[in-house]
Amino acid sequence: MKKTNYVRNAIALLLVCVIAGTALAQRGPGRGKGPGRGRGHAGVGQGQGNGHSQAHDRDHADFRYLLTNHQKVRRDVQLLPNGVKTLTESDDPQVAAKIREHVYWMKERVEQVQPIRMRDPLFAELFRHAKQIKMVTENTPKGVRVIETSENPYVVKLIQQHAKTVSEFVKRGFPEAMKNHPVPTSANESTPLEYKHPAIKEYGKVVQLPNAAQQPREQSKICVDLTKGGPADKLNPSIEKVARFVNIYQGAGKEPAAAQIAVVLHGDATLCALNDDAYAERFDTKSNPNLDCLHELHEAGVQIYVCGQSLVGKGGKPDQVVVFTDVAVSALTSLVNLQADGYGYVPLK
């Protein structure tokens, strides 16, 4: 009886293994989601679990393999009214298999909206419209044929530009993969970048970059350590940089952000805060070319401090400093106190 039960249990276990093995064999490129494929792309805020997902690592490896072997790949692109038809093949069986695998997983990323290569503007924009893209793939003996379409005319442009970019990958390999690729023009595209002066009207021009990384944060506190001098008859370039800081927070990001900015003048920049008469007498100029910009900074809420030790050391007097600045005991105490109050230190030397 025990022997019969043993044989019966062994047969049952064998059947389970066969069924499980058959199921696993049916998964993979072209049939299922496959093992080890997670969501996301580490580095774009979409990875899950521990850093890089297996999906990202394998897709990255596939991409590098194809770039390394790009000369073994040939590609034909046919533009359609609503998208593209592409044929990507290789006479090398291993490369052909890798092409099919890569396309399979990229199709899944589009369907599941799992972005990759999000630092490239074209790919980022393509994934933002992934739900409007339809992909149909057909394996060929040497690669894969893809029909990619959309009902949205703008997305059609994205699809066609992407197809052109992939062809450049095939043609050039890694040098092309290192580039950022532009988004095609459309009626919805923002106007060209132009310089503007959102707060300080005559100084510190900036361009608005609403989609860039590291946007200005509300209630930021900045301590500028300004020691650099310049020609006596011209505006100190570092003072204009402070105007740029103000304009960055007021209009270079997606939204204006309130910021507290303090400037400490010492070293060769100390005498930039002298009034017109004292400055003209000291440097034999008609006036102080720094005062207009410094006054604009003051009007924008920037705190301006002059190191008292440097001022006296250079032959100046506290009563010769313009009325809208403050003479501090020293640059040292000013910088230490401001940083203790939570100001971030920015040197301009």
Side-chain angles (χ1 to χ4, degrees):
M1 178 66 70
K2 290 184 178 180
K3 183 175 181 180
T4 302
N5 289 338
Y6 175 80
V7 172
R8 185 177 300 158
N9 290 339
I11 293 173
L13 180 60
L14 179 61
L15 287 173
V16 169
C17 292
V18 170
I19 292 170
T22 302
L24 287 172
Q26 290 176 345
R27 299 176 72 83
R31 296 202 178 187
K33 291 188 176 180
R37 289 287 173 172
R39 287 179 175 266
H41 182 310
V44 296
Q46 305 225 3
Q48 300 199 5
N50 299 323
H52 279 38
S53 66
Q54 284 185 319
H56 168 265
D57 291 340
R58 292 180 184 179
D59 290 342
H60 183 68
D62 290 350
F63 188 47
R64 288 187 63 86
Y65 178 88
L66 290 172
L67 289 173
T68 301
N69 293 277
H70 72 99
Q71 292 180 330
K72 298 180 181 180
V73 180
R74 60 180 176 274
R75 181 171 164 83
D76 178 73
V77 177
Q78 178 183 349
L79 298 183
L80 305 175
N82 60 344
V84 294
K85 178 191 291 186
T86 64
L87 178 63
T88 310
E89 294 184 315
S90 175
D91 293 329
D92 185 319
Q94 289 184 331
V95 176
K98 191 63 69 175
I99 291 170
R100 288 191 288 267
E101 181 181 353
H102 177 69
V103 170
Y104 171 80
W105 292 122
M106 292 304 102
K107 180 176 184 289
E108 181 175 88
R109 281 191 177 275
V110 170
E111 292 175 348
Q112 301 299 322
V113 192
Q114 299 174 6
I116 196 168
R117 198 180 166 84
M118 290 294 281
R119 289 183 181 274
D120 189 318
L122 176 60
F123 285 76
E125 184 72 0
L126 192 72
F127 274 106
R128 275 193 281 269
H129 297 80
K131 291 185 178 180
Q132 300 181 60
I133 298 173
K134 180 181 179 181
M135 290 182 66
V136 177
T137 63
E138 176 189 356
N139 288 345
T140 68
K142 295 186 177 182
V144 64
R145 180 179 290 106
V146 179
I147 298 177
E148 194 170 356
T149 58
S150 176
E151 296 179 359
N152 183 329
Y154 174 60
V155 181
V156 171
K157 287 186 177 182
L158 290 174
I159 291 170
Q160 293 175 344
Q161 186 67 24
H162 171 260
K164 179 181 177 181
T165 299
V166 173
S167 294
E168 288 299 307
F169 289 162
V170 170
K171 180 180 178 181
R172 302 185 65 232
F174 284 104
E176 188 65 29
M178 298 298 173
K179 294 169 54 178
N180 285 318
H181 297 89
V183 175
T185 57
S186 74
N188 298 324
E189 191 175 10
S190 59
T191 56
L193 296 176
E194 295 180 354
Y195 282 110
K196 54 193 293 189
H197 299 80
I200 308 295
K201 300 303 180 184
E202 300 297 328
Y203 308 100
K205 63 184 179 181
V206 297
V207 294
Q208 187 172 18
L209 301 171
N211 298 316
Q214 295 291 355
Q215 291 285 315
R217 292 181 183 176
E218 190 75 14
Q219 300 304 323
S220 293
K221 302 171 78 173
I222 304 167
C223 167
V224 182
D225 182 8
L226 202 163
T227 63
K228 188 175 182 180
D233 59 345
K234 299 184 185 308
L235 169 64
N236 186 320
S238 292
I239 292 176
E240 183 168 13
K241 283 185 180 179
V242 181
R244 183 171 293 112
F245 295 168
V246 175
N247 284 333
I248 284 172
Y249 276 82
Q250 288 300 307
K254 184 176 182 179
E255 300 288 345
Q260 298 179 52
I261 300 178
V263 181
V264 180
L265 301 173
H266 63 116
D268 291 338
T270 303
L271 300 182
C272 290
L274 292 178
N275 63 47
D276 275 330
D277 292 342
Y279 191 94
E281 182 179 353
R282 177 64 180 266
F283 295 106
D284 193 24
T285 61
K286 293 182 178 180
S287 61
N288 183 346
N290 300 290
L291 293 190
D292 187 56
C293 187
L294 286 172
H295 186 259
E296 289 292 325
L297 291 173
H298 168 72
E299 290 293 311
V302 175
Q303 305 168 60
I304 305 171
Y305 298 100
V306 180
C307 174
Q309 305 304 310
S310 294
L311 178 65
V312 174
K314 290 180 177 295
K317 300 178 181 179
D319 61 3
Q320 292 178 324
V321 171
V322 289
V323 68
F324 53 81
T325 66
D326 293 308
V327 176
V329 168
S330 68
L332 171 67
T333 56
S334 300
L335 295 171
V336 170
N337 291 345
L338 287 164
Q339 290 179 83
D341 292 338
Y343 282 71
Y345 177 73
V346 178
L348 289 179
K349 300 180 178 179

